[in-house]
Amino acid sequence: MTVAQAVAAAGWAGHSLGEEARAQLDTYAAWLIEEAIPAGGLGPREAGRVWSRHIADSLAFSIAWDAPPGEVLDVGSGVGLPGIPLALLWPETYVTLLDRGGRRTTMLRRIVRILALPRAAVAQADVFAVADEWEALVFRGSVSGPEAVGLSAKLLAPGGTAVIGLSRRAELPSRAKDLEPLAAAMGLETEVVRVPDEVLDGPAWLLIMRR
Protein backbone atom coordinates (compact mmCIF):
# COMPACT_ATOMS: atom_id res chain seq x y z
CA MET A 1 0.00 0.00 0.00
CA THR A 2 1.17 3.53 -0.75
CA VAL A 3 0.16 7.15 -0.48
CA ALA A 4 -2.32 6.51 -3.31
CA GLN A 5 -4.69 4.91 -0.81
CA ALA A 6 -4.52 8.02 1.38
CA VAL A 7 -5.27 10.18 -1.66
CA ALA A 8 -8.26 7.97 -2.45
CA ALA A 9 -9.61 8.17 1.11
CA ALA A 10 -9.30 11.94 1.20
CA GLY A 11 -10.96 12.17 -2.21
CA TRP A 12 -13.86 10.00 -1.09
CA ALA A 13 -14.33 12.38 1.85
CA GLY A 14 -14.40 15.37 -0.51
CA HIS A 15 -10.91 16.72 0.12
CA SER A 16 -7.61 16.70 -1.77
CA LEU A 17 -4.04 16.03 -0.65
CA GLY A 18 -1.42 18.37 -2.08
CA GLU A 19 2.03 17.24 -3.12
CA GLU A 20 3.64 18.50 0.09
CA ALA A 21 1.09 16.68 2.21
CA ARG A 22 1.71 13.47 0.27
CA ALA A 23 5.45 13.72 0.88
CA GLN A 24 4.87 14.38 4.57
CA LEU A 25 2.55 11.38 4.81
CA ASP A 26 5.33 9.24 3.34
CA THR A 27 7.62 10.52 6.10
CA TYR A 28 4.95 9.86 8.73
CA ALA A 29 4.33 6.32 7.46
CA ALA A 30 8.05 5.57 7.62
CA TRP A 31 8.18 6.93 11.19
CA LEU A 32 5.24 4.75 12.22
CA ILE A 33 7.02 1.67 10.88
CA GLU A 34 10.54 2.49 12.01
CA GLU A 35 9.87 4.10 15.40
CA ALA A 36 6.25 3.92 16.56
CA ILE A 37 5.78 0.18 16.06
CA PRO A 38 9.05 -0.84 17.76
CA ALA A 39 8.13 1.47 20.65
CA GLY A 40 4.72 -0.20 21.04
CA GLY A 41 2.68 2.68 19.65
CA LEU A 42 1.06 0.28 17.16
CA GLY A 43 0.90 -3.49 17.14
CA PRO A 44 3.90 -5.43 15.81
CA ARG A 45 1.90 -6.72 12.82
CA GLU A 46 0.68 -3.31 11.68
CA ALA A 47 3.62 -2.39 9.43
CA GLY A 48 2.02 -3.97 6.38
CA ARG A 49 -1.19 -2.00 6.72
CA VAL A 50 -0.04 1.37 8.01
CA TRP A 51 -1.53 3.09 4.96
CA SER A 52 -4.87 1.28 4.73
CA ARG A 53 -5.71 0.59 8.36
CA HIS A 54 -4.30 3.73 9.92
CA ILE A 55 -3.48 6.66 7.62
CA ALA A 56 -6.29 6.28 5.08
CA ASP A 57 -8.68 5.35 7.88
CA SER A 58 -7.75 8.58 9.66
CA LEU A 59 -8.35 10.68 6.54
CA ALA A 60 -11.82 9.17 6.18
CA PHE A 61 -12.79 11.10 9.33
CA SER A 62 -12.70 14.29 7.24
CA ILE A 63 -16.02 13.28 5.62
CA ALA A 64 -17.75 15.21 8.43
CA TRP A 65 -16.52 18.60 7.17
CA ASP A 66 -17.12 20.27 3.81
CA ALA A 67 -14.40 22.80 4.61
CA PRO A 68 -11.50 22.48 7.06
CA PRO A 69 -12.46 23.38 10.63
CA GLY A 70 -10.49 26.05 12.43
CA GLU A 71 -9.42 23.67 15.19
CA VAL A 72 -9.52 19.96 16.01
CA LEU A 73 -8.99 18.12 19.28
CA ASP A 74 -7.72 14.58 18.70
CA VAL A 75 -8.73 12.69 21.84
CA GLY A 76 -6.35 9.93 22.88
CA SER A 77 -4.08 10.59 19.92
CA GLY A 78 -1.57 7.84 20.70
CA VAL A 79 0.94 8.08 17.84
CA GLY A 80 -1.05 10.79 16.05
CA LEU A 81 -4.03 8.97 14.59
CA PRO A 82 -6.18 10.51 13.24
CA GLY A 83 -4.82 13.93 14.21
CA ILE A 84 -1.59 14.02 12.21
CA PRO A 85 -3.09 12.87 8.88
CA LEU A 86 -5.82 15.49 9.38
CA ALA A 87 -3.21 18.15 10.19
CA LEU A 88 -1.44 17.32 6.93
CA LEU A 89 -4.70 17.35 4.99
CA TRP A 90 -5.68 20.71 6.51
CA PRO A 91 -2.44 22.72 7.02
CA GLU A 92 -4.32 25.84 8.18
CA THR A 93 -6.19 23.99 10.93
CA TYR A 94 -4.95 24.07 14.53
CA VAL A 95 -4.77 20.46 15.72
CA THR A 96 -4.27 19.52 19.36
CA LEU A 97 -2.99 15.98 19.91
CA LEU A 98 -4.21 15.01 23.37
CA ASP A 99 -3.00 11.95 25.25
CA ARG A 100 -2.55 11.21 28.92
CA GLY A 101 0.53 9.01 28.46
CA GLY A 102 3.94 10.62 28.91
CA ARG A 103 5.66 8.16 26.58
CA ARG A 104 3.10 8.72 23.85
CA THR A 105 3.22 12.51 24.14
CA THR A 106 7.01 12.36 23.89
CA MET A 107 6.66 10.41 20.65
CA LEU A 108 4.05 12.87 19.41
CA ARG A 109 6.33 15.84 20.05
CA ARG A 110 9.07 14.11 18.08
CA ILE A 111 6.92 13.46 14.99
CA VAL A 112 5.49 16.99 15.13
CA ARG A 113 9.08 18.27 15.01
CA ILE A 114 10.03 15.90 12.20
CA LEU A 115 7.07 17.01 10.09
CA ALA A 116 7.47 20.69 11.07
CA LEU A 117 3.78 21.19 11.86
CA PRO A 118 3.50 24.74 13.26
CA ARG A 119 -0.24 24.45 13.95
CA ALA A 120 -0.06 21.10 15.75
CA ALA A 121 0.23 21.12 19.53
CA VAL A 122 0.78 18.17 21.88
CA ALA A 123 -0.97 18.12 25.26
CA GLN A 124 -0.61 15.57 28.04
CA ALA A 125 -3.85 15.35 29.99
CA ASP A 126 -6.85 13.17 30.72
CA VAL A 127 -9.69 14.20 28.42
CA PHE A 128 -12.15 13.94 31.31
CA ALA A 129 -10.34 16.89 32.90
CA VAL A 130 -10.67 19.07 29.78
CA ALA A 131 -13.19 21.88 30.16
CA ASP A 132 -12.80 24.00 27.03
CA GLU A 133 -15.20 24.09 24.09
CA TRP A 134 -13.95 22.87 20.72
CA GLU A 135 -15.07 23.33 17.14
CA ALA A 136 -14.16 19.77 16.19
CA LEU A 137 -13.42 16.51 18.05
CA VAL A 138 -12.16 13.16 16.74
CA PHE A 139 -12.12 9.85 18.61
CA ARG A 140 -10.38 6.81 17.13
CA GLY A 141 -10.85 4.09 19.71
CA SER A 142 -9.39 6.07 22.60
CA VAL A 143 -12.47 5.87 24.85
CA SER A 144 -15.67 3.85 24.80
CA GLY A 145 -18.51 4.89 22.52
CA PRO A 146 -20.79 6.12 25.32
CA GLU A 147 -17.89 8.06 26.84
CA ALA A 148 -17.15 9.68 23.47
CA VAL A 149 -20.78 10.73 23.13
CA GLY A 150 -20.79 12.22 26.62
CA LEU A 151 -17.53 14.05 25.99
CA SER A 152 -18.87 15.42 22.72
CA ALA A 153 -21.94 16.77 24.49
CA LYS A 154 -19.66 18.39 27.06
CA LEU A 155 -16.84 19.72 24.85
CA LEU A 156 -18.40 20.68 21.52
CA ALA A 157 -18.94 24.36 20.94
CA PRO A 158 -22.28 25.43 19.38
CA GLY A 159 -22.15 24.43 15.73
CA GLY A 160 -19.30 22.00 16.42
CA THR A 161 -18.83 18.50 15.01
CA ALA A 162 -17.41 15.29 16.46
CA VAL A 163 -16.52 12.03 14.72
CA ILE A 164 -16.16 8.62 16.37
CA GLY A 165 -14.64 5.59 14.71
CA LEU A 166 -17.28 2.93 15.42
CA SER A 167 -16.21 -0.35 13.88
CA ARG A 168 -14.25 -2.10 11.12
CA ARG A 169 -16.79 -4.94 10.82
CA ALA A 170 -19.05 -5.66 7.86
CA GLU A 171 -22.15 -5.10 9.99
CA LEU A 172 -22.51 -2.31 12.52
CA PRO A 173 -22.57 -3.81 16.04
CA SER A 174 -25.74 -3.27 18.05
CA ARG A 175 -23.81 -1.46 20.78
CA ALA A 176 -22.74 1.11 18.19
CA LYS A 177 -26.32 1.58 17.03
CA ASP A 178 -27.26 2.43 20.61
CA LEU A 179 -25.08 5.54 20.48
CA GLU A 180 -27.45 7.45 18.20
CA PRO A 181 -30.35 7.66 20.68
CA LEU A 182 -27.88 8.42 23.45
CA ALA A 183 -26.44 11.33 21.47
CA ALA A 184 -29.93 12.57 20.55
CA ALA A 185 -30.88 12.59 24.24
CA MET A 186 -27.88 14.87 24.82
CA GLY A 187 -28.95 17.32 22.14
CA LEU A 188 -26.66 16.14 19.35
CA GLU A 189 -27.68 15.47 15.75
CA THR A 190 -26.23 12.21 14.46
CA GLU A 191 -25.33 10.52 11.21
CA VAL A 192 -23.80 7.07 10.72
CA VAL A 193 -21.53 6.79 7.68
CA ARG A 194 -20.25 3.57 6.14
CA VAL A 195 -16.91 3.94 4.42
CA PRO A 196 -16.99 1.81 1.25
CA ASP A 197 -14.83 -1.33 1.35
CA GLU A 198 -12.75 -0.22 -1.61
CA VAL A 199 -11.66 3.02 0.11
CA LEU A 200 -9.79 1.22 2.90
CA ASP A 201 -8.87 -2.45 3.36
CA GLY A 202 -12.42 -3.38 4.31
CA PRO A 203 -15.56 -1.86 5.81
CA ALA A 204 -15.51 0.96 8.34
CA TRP A 205 -18.21 2.85 10.20
CA LEU A 206 -18.14 6.41 11.54
CA LEU A 207 -20.56 8.27 13.78
CA ILE A 208 -20.81 12.00 13.09
CA MET A 209 -22.34 14.19 15.80
CA ARG A 210 -23.22 17.85 15.44
CA ARG A 211 -24.30 20.34 18.08
Side-chain angles (χ1 to χ4, degrees), residues 143-147 149 164-169 171-183 192 205 207:
V143 297
S144 72
E147 287 174 331
V149 172
I164 303 173
L166 290 177
S167 173
R168 295 300 306 266
R169 299 180 183 178
E171 299 296 329
L172 187 63
S174 59
R175 66 179 183 276
K177 297 177 184 177
D178 294 339
L179 298 180
E180 285 193 279
L182 176 62
V192 173
W205 299 86
L207 175 63

Side-chain angles (χ1 to χ4, degrees), residues 43-203:
R45 299 181 181 179
E46 296 303 296
R49 55 182 191 175
V50 157
W51 285 103
S52 59
R53 180 60 56 133
H54 298 291
I55 294 176
D57 180 90
S58 294
L59 291 167
F61 278 56
S62 66
I63 188 68
W65 293 273
D66 294 330
E71 62 175 7
V72 175
L73 177 64
D74 178 12
V75 178
S77 187
V79 290
L81 299 160
I84 286 179
L86 293 176
L88 295 174
L89 177 66
W90 297 325
E92 299 303 313
T93 297
Y94 289 90
V95 177
T96 298
L97 308 168
L98 177 71
D99 203 286
R100 63 182 179 182
R103 186 177 181 184
R104 290 188 293 271
T105 52
T106 297
M107 295 176 68
L108 285 170
R109 290 187 181 97
R110 172 164 168 74
I111 188 58
V112 166
R113 287 195 301 270
I114 290 171
L115 296 173
L117 298 175
R119 289 180 171 81
V122 178
Q124 183 179 354
D126 189 320
V127 66
F128 294 98
V130 174
D132 298 333
E133 289 190 335
W134 296 81
E135 181 182 346
L137 303 171
V138 287
F139 302 85
R140 192 176 180 263
S142 53
V143 297
S144 72
E147 287 174 331
V149 172
L151 286 166
S152 298
K154 172 188 173 185
L155 298 177
L156 276 181
T161 299
V163 182
I164 303 173
L166 290 177
S167 173
R168 295 300 306 266
R169 299 180 183 178
E171 299 296 329
L172 187 63
S174 59
R175 66 179 183 276
K177 297 177 184 177
D178 294 339
L179 298 180
E180 285 193 279
L182 176 62
M186 295 184 180
L188 300 173
E189 297 180 0
T190 62
E191 177 186 3
V192 173
V193 175
R194 189 184 194 278
V195 184
D197 294 11
E198 62 271 17
V199 172
L200 305 176
D201 61 351

